[in-house]
Amino acid sequence: MRHARRNVQRIARFAAIGGLVCGGLMVSHAVASETSDDPKAPNAEMLAARTGQELVADLGTSRTAGSWIDAKGRPVVAVTDAEAAADVRGAGAVPKVVRYAMKDLRSATDTLKDAPKVAGTSWAMDYASNQVVVRADTTVSADEWDRLAKVAESLGKSVRMERIEGTFTPRVNGASPLFASAGRCSAGFNVTNGQANFILTAGHCGPVGTTWFSDQQGSQQVGATVSGSFPGGDFSLVQYSPGVDLSGADLVAVGDGQGIRIIGSADAAVGQKVFRSGSTTGLQSGEVTGLNATVNYPQGTVTGLIETTVCAEPGDSGGPMFANGLAMGITSGGNGDCQSGGTTFFQPVSKALDSLGVKLVTEPGAGDQASPSSGSTGNTGSANSGAGAAAPPGTSSTAPGGAVLPGGAGPGDTAPEGETDSVASALERVADFRSLGPGLFVIAGSLVALVALRIRSERGRRRYRNQYSQSWG
């Protein structure tokens, strides 16, 4: 009988402990769901990316070979020795011991860079395989492939070569909200130097002096290209013409009248999910597969790019790439399309901003000294597919075929739910008992049950000791 009572108590105790765990999970889920709308709160993927990048920076290029985010969302760091692996593991990341350090992979890319240029080729570091992957499109001849293969063979197993379908081209000459004689492109992010406002877009879209219009007839002037880099880099600044309205300048249009507020910039991480918006294909998503990529376009070589699986088509050039409300890249070029897929390369935003001496209009202090036409970064706005510079007064936010005029955003539009300035703070949401109540109730009930079981068990033990001591005496 006593054993049966013990079994019942043991089952009840396990049930109470299980209730504590379930209640904790319910509270965690409620907190996560209620605070995830705060665009300034980094999500798990961003935290994983930051952890990996910081570990690589701390351990150095002779002991690491990059970091990435695995399928489970964990930061993985390639290391060259057991001590570095222990450091990575102690920091809560996953170590992977590899043969080649970052300095070896960079040496391989330097050798490839010094070799004769072959248009239609690219290379980028594949951290997971610990190799530099060289890719050649269908325009590369057999002789050119053989010459490049000899260079790769001289570098050993640190280099891998692949053939791909399609051709590497800058994404110009399609339907686009920015029209010029040099081609058509998508606007990127709104930026400022404190005195004037600009559109940050791709450098290959047009040289300095190119005048851009929001309509194909050339009746609505947006601005002119005042600086940029291509080839080498792939970024440029289009200075707004006087009188252009920048309402909703901190939004990136994603289609269906929706916009995503950009709150800052960040560097991309391998394995990270990212989004791209362009006036031809709208909102698309994919994964970062490589950093510091080099692409040999027919027009010239561009280095330091982000390699992704996001699709793009002509007209998407210059459009923004972002994740978690952070600006990361500007669409440069690639191969394939949004039916068959392909590879798309992006100019990192951080490098472009530093080179041009500008800031996103959403960054602290960036808009404080801007002209009155810049508007407030707290304004709401939206646009259809395309990128997010402000539309000239009197123009529509949409163009024929669904293309968006520069910044198709207006003071009367609204951003998606969760992107407005009236969103409650994280602390206020956590304090909402309606969201946390069920979990807290389960925890409280489980604690009461555990205390009751403990008291009952102690009483039983005392009663048994008293009875045993009397019979023994």
Side-chain angles (χ1 to χ4, degrees), residues 267-305:
D267 293 325
V270 174
Q272 182 175 15
K273 184 176 181 180
V274 292
F275 299 87
R276 174 200 61 74
S277 186
S279 59
T280 300
T281 58
L283 183 67
Q284 303 291 336
S285 64
E287 186 177 294
V288 176
T289 54
L291 303 175
N292 297 314
T294 296
V295 185
N296 295 301
Y297 294 126
Q299 297 88 342
T301 300
V302 180
T303 61
L305 299 177

Side-chain angles (χ1 to χ4, degrees), residues 248 250-262 276-278 282-283 320 322 380-389 397-398 402 404-405 407-410 412-420:
D250 55 349
L251 294 180
V252 163
V254 296
D256 297 327
Q258 300 295 301
I260 297 297
R261 176 161 289 112
I262 300 301
R276 174 200 61 74
S277 186
L283 183 67
F322 52 92
T380 60
S382 66
N384 296 331
S385 64
S397 63
T398 59
V404 180
L405 301 181
D413 298 326
T414 58
E417 184 178 357
E419 296 292 341
T420 63

